Amino acid sequence: MSDDKTIKVLFFGDLVGRPGRYAVRNFLLENDYTNHFVIANVENASHGFGLTEKNYNELSEYGIDCMTSGNHIWDKRDIFNYIDKADKLLRPINYPEKTLGKGSSIFNFNGYKIGVINILGRVFMNLVDSQWEMVKAEIERIKKITPIVIIDFHAEATAEKICFAKYCSELGCSAFFGTHTHVQTADESIINNMGYITDAGFCGGKDGVIGMDYTTSLNRFLTSIPERYEIADSNSQQINAVEVEINPNTGYAVAIKRIFCSRNEVEKENSQ
Ligand SMILES: [Fe+2]
Ligand SMILES: [Fe+2]
C-alpha cells in the first residue's frame, strides 16, 4: 500500500458521539495519515444524532478533509444555520432540490482533484429521490473535471448496496464505501477497477449496540416505548475504516485494505 504515484484515501465508518470523535482524533494523531485524503461519515458524530457546528469545526481540526453523512444529518437544529457554509460537509445528493447543503463536491488535495458524492439508499429507508440516473449524471459531470470519483452510499439493504456499487463501477467510479448499518463487512474488494466495501462500519464505543448504550437499546425492544438513546459508555472504542489507493491518471483503484481495531481510552467526560 505505498506507491508514490497513487492517491491514498482513508475512509472512516460513521463516527458515533464523543467516543467516536476522540477515537478518530487519537488514531490520526498516532498514525501518519498526512498524505491521505481523509473522509469520515459524521451523521452520528454529535451525541449519536447529527452534527453541531462546534463538532464540525472540531473534526475539521483533526485532519478530516471531507465529511459525508446520511439520514441523521438533520438531527441537530443548527445544521440548518451552517451547512451552506461548511465546505467539507456533504449531505446525501438525492434529497429534493430545495434541500439545504450539497451532495457532491470536488476537493483539491495535494495538487489533485477528488470528486466525492454522498447518496442515500431507498430500500428500508425514508423515501428520497431515485439515485440511479442521478448518480450517472453526476459521475459524468465530475469525470469531465477529474477521473477520481468516490461515493459514500448510505443504505440499509446489502443487495441494494452491491447492485448500486456494480452500476457505479461501470460508470467509472474509483471507490465506493457503504455506510449506515454500523457493522463492518469483510467483503472489501476491487470490482471493475473500483475499491468497494458493503459497509465500512462505525467508530465509537465498542460494548454497546452499534455505538449506543445497551440498556436503553434493550428497553426499547422490550417495551416498544421510545426511550432516549444514550451513547455507549465503554472504555473500549473501535475504529472501522478502509484505505484505498487510486491511480490519479486513470482513476482506478489499485489496492484496498480494511481496518478494524479496538482501542482503550477513557473518554467519559460528559460523553457528549
Ligand atoms: Fe450512522
Ligand atoms: Fe444512517
Side-chain angles (χ1 to χ4, degrees):
M1 295 286 288
S2 57
D3 182 340
D4 288 343
K5 295 194 178 91
T6 59
I7 290 179
K8 297 173 183 68
V9 175
L10 177 66
F11 183 95
F12 289 103
D14 303 23
L15 275 57
V16 181
R18 179 175 282 188
R21 300 197 311 271
Y22 282 12
V24 165
R25 177 195 64 187
N26 295 348
F27 184 80
L28 289 173
L29 284 172
E30 291 164 15
N31 300 281
D32 184 8
Y33 284 107
T34 47
N35 65 344
H36 287 59
F37 182 67
V38 179
I39 309 172
N41 187 300
V42 296
E43 69 150 4
N44 309 110
S46 295
H47 204 73
F49 298 92
L51 181 72
T52 62
E53 186 170 14
K54 178 171 168 260
N55 289 158
Y56 169 79
N57 291 330
E58 175 192 328
L59 292 173
S60 295
E61 285 169 17
Y62 295 169
I64 295 171
D65 300 299
C66 166
M67 298 179 216
T68 54
S69 63
N71 52 309
H72 283 298
I73 190 59
W74 313 111
D75 291 354
K76 291 283 184 289
R77 289 296 306 170
D78 71 342
I79 187 75
F80 301 102
N81 298 326
Y82 79 88
I83 191 167
D84 274 334
K85 54 183 182 190
D87 294 339
K88 293 183 178 179
L89 179 60
L90 301 180
R91 50 87 174 148
I93 194 170
N94 45 342
Y95 279 106
E97 207 173 306
K98 286 188 175 168
T99 309
L100 294 179
K102 59 186 180 298
S104 165
S105 191
I106 295 174
F107 295 83
N108 291 307
F109 179 75
N110 286 353
Y112 296 106
K113 290 189 187 304
I114 300 176
V116 183
I117 313 171
N118 191 189
I119 311 170
L120 269 180
R122 303 209 306 164
V123 178
F124 308 132
M125 304 283 284
N126 288 337
L127 208 55
V128 285
D129 294 346
S130 173
Q131 74 270 25
W132 300 84
E133 293 303 318
M134 185 183 290
V135 81
K136 185 167 185 273
E138 190 60 18
I139 290 174
E140 282 170 3
R141 187 188 73 81
I142 292 174
K143 282 183 97 60
K144 286 180 186 150
I145 302 163
T146 174
I148 305 157
V149 184
I150 298 171
I151 289 178
D152 173 344
F153 185 48
H154 197 77
E156 185 78 47
T158 48
E160 186 187 20
K161 284 166 146 168
I162 293 167
C163 194
F164 189 56
K166 290 195 171 184
Y167 176 78
C168 291
S169 76
E170 289 169 353
L171 297 172
C173 182
S174 310
F176 185 110
F177 305 102
T179 56
H180 177 68
T181 70
H182 292 204
V183 178
Q184 189 181 75
T185 54
D187 62 341
E188 75 278 12
S189 59
I190 294 177
I191 48 173
N192 289 332
N193 301 307
M194 180 189 83
Y196 171 70
I197 190 163
T198 298
D199 204 291
F202 84 96
C203 301
K206 194 174 171 224
D207 303 325
V209 177
I210 61 168
M212 309 306 280
D213 175 62
Y214 164 62
T215 306
T216 48
S217 296
L218 179 65
N219 286 342
R220 290 174 68 105
F221 284 112
L222 288 177
T223 67
S224 294
I225 296 171
E227 182 169 331
R228 189 173 188 268
Y229 277 116
E230 293 299 335
I231 295 293
D233 183 23
S234 72
N235 291 341
S236 176
Q237 283 85 40
Q238 66 181 48
I239 289 287
N240 284 181
V242 184
E243 258 185 279
V244 174
E245 279 191 40
I246 297 166
N247 179 320
N249 300 316
T250 60
Y252 293 169
V254 295
I256 184 165
K257 186 175 126 190
R258 185 165 52 86
I259 298 168
F260 190 125
C261 62
S262 296
R263 314 172 53 84
N264 287 303
E265 297 155 12
V266 183
E267 297 288 10
K268 291 186 176 175
E269 30 176 331
N270 301 326
S271 84
Q272 170 164 294

